[in-house]
Amino acid sequence: MSMFCFQCQETSKGTGCTIKGVCGKNEDVAKLQDLLIYTLKGISQIVVKAGMDVNSIPGANFQLANSLFMTITNANFDGDAIEAQIHRTIAIRDGLQQTVQLSELHDAATFQVSDRNSMLEKAASIGVLSTLDEDIRSLREMNIYGLKGMAAYTLHAFNLGKENPEIYAFMYQLLADTLDDKLSVDDWVQLTQRTGEVGVKAMALLDEANTSRYGKPEITQVNLGVRDNPAILISGHDLTDLEQLLEQTQGTGVDVYTHSEMLPGHYYPAFKKYENFVGNYGNAWWMQIKEFETFHGPILFTTNCIVPPRSEEIRQRIFTTNSAGYPGCRHIEADAQGHKDFSEIIAMAKTLPAPEAIEQGSLIGGFAHDQVVALADNIIAAVQTGAIRKFFVMAGCDGRLHSREYYTEFAKALPRDTVILTAGCAKYRYNKLPLGEIDGIPRVLDAGQCNDSYSLVVIALKLKEIFGLEDINQLPIAFNIAWYEQKAVIVLLALLSLGIKNIHLGPSLPGFLSPNVGKVLVEKFGISSIGTVEDDLELFLEEA
């Protein structure tokens, strides 16, 4: 077996990619990512055994989160960049070890490699399958994938000057725990609960970082058409990159459009002052193959969701930054103050045609928790009068599989006295459908990015308080979640840690769940996979 990866929903045959990733990463990149995670485990053991104060090792904290983010699905395909990161993290590991006296360290804390060949040779022996017990492997990997999602949110908050030492300390502890073969299945189930709890803290941290810098999201109509100006398309999730790009494009004659998960940037008050911030172009991440052809201008990837481009012409128009990377694409680094120079992207945009229109009209969003709480009286009245029978949380990720048409058909089939609460790119399956309103309340309430699933939790907890309920599961809310990658994993674990039960997860259950671990999730939390639209609707509405 040349590689093994089963961290995303589209993993081959639902069990694991063994030749090349469905995402597009090759065997060498997969192995290098495995080795990078292994190196982080070694750093973590040193930090934990030495009882280091995470506040004293800021450089290690940043590279911990950065490395985890680099291995998220569709984030970084650049073998050279990952190789350099392995060297960087080994240097951090060895530097930390020199400051303390420790014995009985794991191989992850001591191994050495010199070049790409030695890295690949080492990676062959330390990958996912090196944990022989299937259930322990399942739980270890599920927690690591949760950490990857947690790291993404933590890094976005870091870029805005917000940190929580408790999150770093937990990351180190959990990664160190993966080296402990004495931990049982029961131990790992308890750790999974803790991962979800810290995941909530990470999402709350990012929510605070975004809103304190850019204001609280507000109800916004977002343009879907185009103007006759050269333009830049910004994709991913990082709002600091959006801010810097808008600042640097002012007065240049170059427009800026959001793509996929960057759509919610339009909801923040701080960005509305930029006249060249035109609208959103396209749909979910996987449709970029066609949509980038008609956009014509350069594309800036601030995070994951890269699909390997089919043509060299498109590759030459793609730029990456932060933890993202793709071979042959130019990467933009920040200086010591976090500033990035986007002049090369702006100069390229000026030489290229304006984007072709692929849509017209607009869509509405900005229903984060503060905005929905402001509408609480209207929502409560609609529930009490029966105008709203039930809310459906349909957050998460979109993907390429035909089976995801389920979510479009499910939204279409929902009775007109129901409302969809959404966040993440899963919304592109239904956010442009003419689903109408209920007493002035749109039937699709978009809270924002995948990390803004936190807003949906805050909304649910607020409704629980208002209605005087003891259990969040007594609310007229059903959870029908789509997942694709590891940020959705931490969202799921966060929901479970808050006691939310009977979540439907699709379009398929994770390949990293062993039968026994899957059984635990079913019995303890009521997790189930989606069925047919008709059967699921009947089940959900029976519970109303």
Side-chain angles (χ1 to χ4, degrees):
M1 189 177 296
S2 57
M3 62 172 278
F4 185 83
C5 181
F6 59 178
Q7 69 176 357
C8 84
Q9 188 272 323
E10 292 183 357
T11 193
S12 181
K13 300 178 182 179
T15 57
C17 295
T18 59
I19 299 173
K20 182 178 181 179
V22 171
C23 64
K25 68 182 175 185
N26 61 35
E27 167 190 353
D28 285 1
V29 168
K31 287 183 174 179
L32 290 172
Q33 289 183 356
D34 286 345
L35 189 62
L36 180 55
I37 295 297
Y38 190 67
T39 309
L40 298 181
K41 294 177 181 180
I43 292 174
S44 298
Q45 186 184 57
I46 293 168
V47 170
V48 171
K49 288 192 75 167
M52 292 183 180
D53 179 1
V54 296
N55 292 299
S56 69
I57 50 172
N61 298 338
F62 172 79
Q63 293 302 344
L64 170 72
N66 185 38
S67 298
L68 286 164
F69 202 171
M70 288 178 76
T71 68
I72 280 182
T73 303
N74 286 350
N76 201 308
F77 297 81
D78 190 342
D80 290 343
I82 300 170
E83 178 181 344
Q85 188 68 7
I86 291 170
H87 283 302
R88 188 174 293 116
T89 51
I90 287 177
I92 289 171
R93 183 199 68 184
D94 294 350
L96 292 174
Q97 193 171 340
Q98 289 174 7
T99 66
V100 293
Q101 295 292 325
L102 297 174
S103 59
E104 299 183 2
L105 288 171
H106 191 277
D107 174 71
T110 61
F111 81 92
Q112 296 294 333
V113 287
S114 57
D115 55 17
R116 176 75 65 89
N117 288 335
S118 60
M119 287 182 181
L120 294 175
E121 181 180 355
K122 180 65 179 178
S125 65
I126 53 82
V128 171
L129 297 179
S130 62
T131 300
L132 300 180
D133 184 289
E134 182 182 31
D135 297 330
I136 297 295
R137 179 197 309 149
S138 176
L139 288 161
R140 280 180 176 175
E141 294 304 313
M142 179 166 62
N143 278 275
I144 289 173
Y145 303 156
L147 281 193
K148 291 184 180 188
M150 190 188 302
Y153 302 147
T154 301
L155 204 55
H156 292 317
F158 173 87
N159 290 340
L160 288 164
K162 299 288 186 179
E163 295 182 88
N164 181 345
E166 181 184 349
I167 296 172
Y168 295 129
F170 176 75
M171 288 180 177
Y172 288 121
Q173 182 63 64
L174 191 137
L175 285 168
D177 285 341
T178 64
L179 300 175
D180 186 354
D181 292 329
K182 295 178 182 178
L183 293 180
S184 67
V185 167
D186 289 341
D187 293 330
W188 275 108
V189 170
Q190 291 180 17
L191 280 170
T192 301
Q193 182 83 5
R194 179 62 179 153
T195 300
E197 292 170 359
V198 181
V200 174
K201 294 179 185 293
M203 286 186 275
L205 179 70
L206 180 53
D207 181 75
E208 178 192 359
N210 285 336
T211 56
S212 63
R213 176 78 162 260
Y214 305 118
K216 296 175 181 179
E218 53 192 26
I219 299 173
T220 305
Q221 289 280 349
V222 181
N223 174 47
L224 299 178
V226 298
R227 302 197 306 198
D228 191 24
N229 295 327
I232 298 168
L233 190 62
I234 183 167
S235 191
H237 305 76
D238 199 282
L239 296 183
T240 53
D241 291 318
L242 175 60
E243 178 184 25
Q244 293 191 52
L245 182 64
L246 288 171
E247 288 175 349
Q248 293 177 43
T249 52
Q250 283 189 96
T252 64
V254 174
D255 288 340
V256 174
Y257 295 80
T258 54
H259 169 257
S260 192
E261 280 272 63
M262 197 60 82
L263 162 66
H266 293 278
Y267 309 157
Y268 290 89
F271 298 131
K272 295 183 178 181
K273 66 184 178 184
Y274 298 99
E275 294 182 357
N276 64 327
F277 193 28
V278 176
N280 190 70
Y281 192 89
N283 296 277
W285 62 273
W286 61 276
M287 296 185 72
Q288 66 188 254
I289 291 293
K290 291 184 178 180
E291 292 170 350
F292 286 1
E293 291 179 0
T294 54
F295 185 77
H296 299 309
I299 303 104
L300 173 61
F301 274 101
T302 65
T303 61
N304 60 317
C305 299
I306 300 172
V307 177
R310 292 177 179 173
S311 71
E312 184 62 24
E313 187 273 332
I314 291 178
R315 185 199 303 253
Q316 290 302 312
R317 288 193 278 121
I318 292 177
F319 293 77
T320 63
T321 190
N322 300 319
S323 305
Y326 194 85
C329 296
R330 279 152 287 191
H331 188 80
I332 297 175
E333 294 281 1
D335 63 19
Q337 287 72 45
H339 178 266
K340 295 177 183 178
D341 181 359
F342 292 134
S343 58
E344 185 178 2
I345 305 178
I346 297 168
M348 176 184 285
K350 292 179 177 179
T351 69
L352 296 171
E356 296 177 36
I358 57 175
E359 294 179 281
Q360 297 293 335
S362 63
L363 54 79
I364 190 169
F367 295 93
H369 56 91
D370 288 294
Q371 186 64 77
V372 173
V373 169
L375 297 172
D377 289 343
N378 294 351
I379 293 172
I380 292 164
V383 172
Q384 290 174 337
T385 62
I388 295 178
R389 181 179 11 165
K390 193 153 193 169
F391 297 91
F392 285 83
V393 174
M394 295 177 65
C397 315
D398 197 14
R400 290 168 284 213
L401 298 183
H402 180 70
S403 56
R404 289 181 181 268
E405 284 293 324
Y406 163 92
Y407 295 101
T408 304
E409 297 306 314
F410 188 88
K412 288 180 179 178
L414 282 171
R416 296 192 62 79
D417 57 359
T418 59
V419 172
I420 296 171
L421 303 174
T422 192
C425 64
K427 61 176 165 275
Y428 283 102
R429 288 286 172 177
Y430 42 79
N431 67 341
K432 298 173 184 177
L433 297 175
L435 297 180
E437 301 179 343
I438 300 174
D439 296 345
I441 302 168
R443 289 192 57 227
V444 177
L445 301 181
D446 175 23
Q449 297 180 339
C450 51
N451 53 280
D452 292 312
S453 296
Y454 170 76
S455 270
L456 305 182
V457 171
V458 173
I459 291 167
L461 292 172
K462 185 64 176 179
L463 290 175
K464 170 177 169 283
E465 175 188 333
I466 290 171
F467 285 116
L469 301 175
E470 294 183 2
D471 186 345
I472 196 171
N473 296 293
Q474 294 174 311
L475 285 168
I477 297 178
F479 290 80
N480 198 4
I481 307 293
W483 83 285
Y484 175 72
E485 41 90 316
Q486 297 77 62
K487 283 177 286 181
V489 174
I490 193 57
V491 169
L492 174 64
L493 298 184
L495 293 176
L496 297 181
S497 75
L498 292 166
I500 295 171
K501 295 184 177 180
N502 302 320
I503 296 172
H504 280 225
L505 189 64
S508 60
L509 292 179
F512 55 77
L513 290 183
S514 68
N516 287 334
V517 172
K519 184 178 178 182
V520 169
L521 292 181
V522 170
E523 293 176 350
K524 186 171 182 178
F525 301 106
I527 292 284
S528 63
S529 59
I530 61 173
T532 66
V533 169
E534 295 77 12
D535 289 347
D536 288 349
L537 267 177
E538 182 178 358
L539 175 64
F540 282 130
L541 295 175
E542 277 180 358
E543 300 169 353

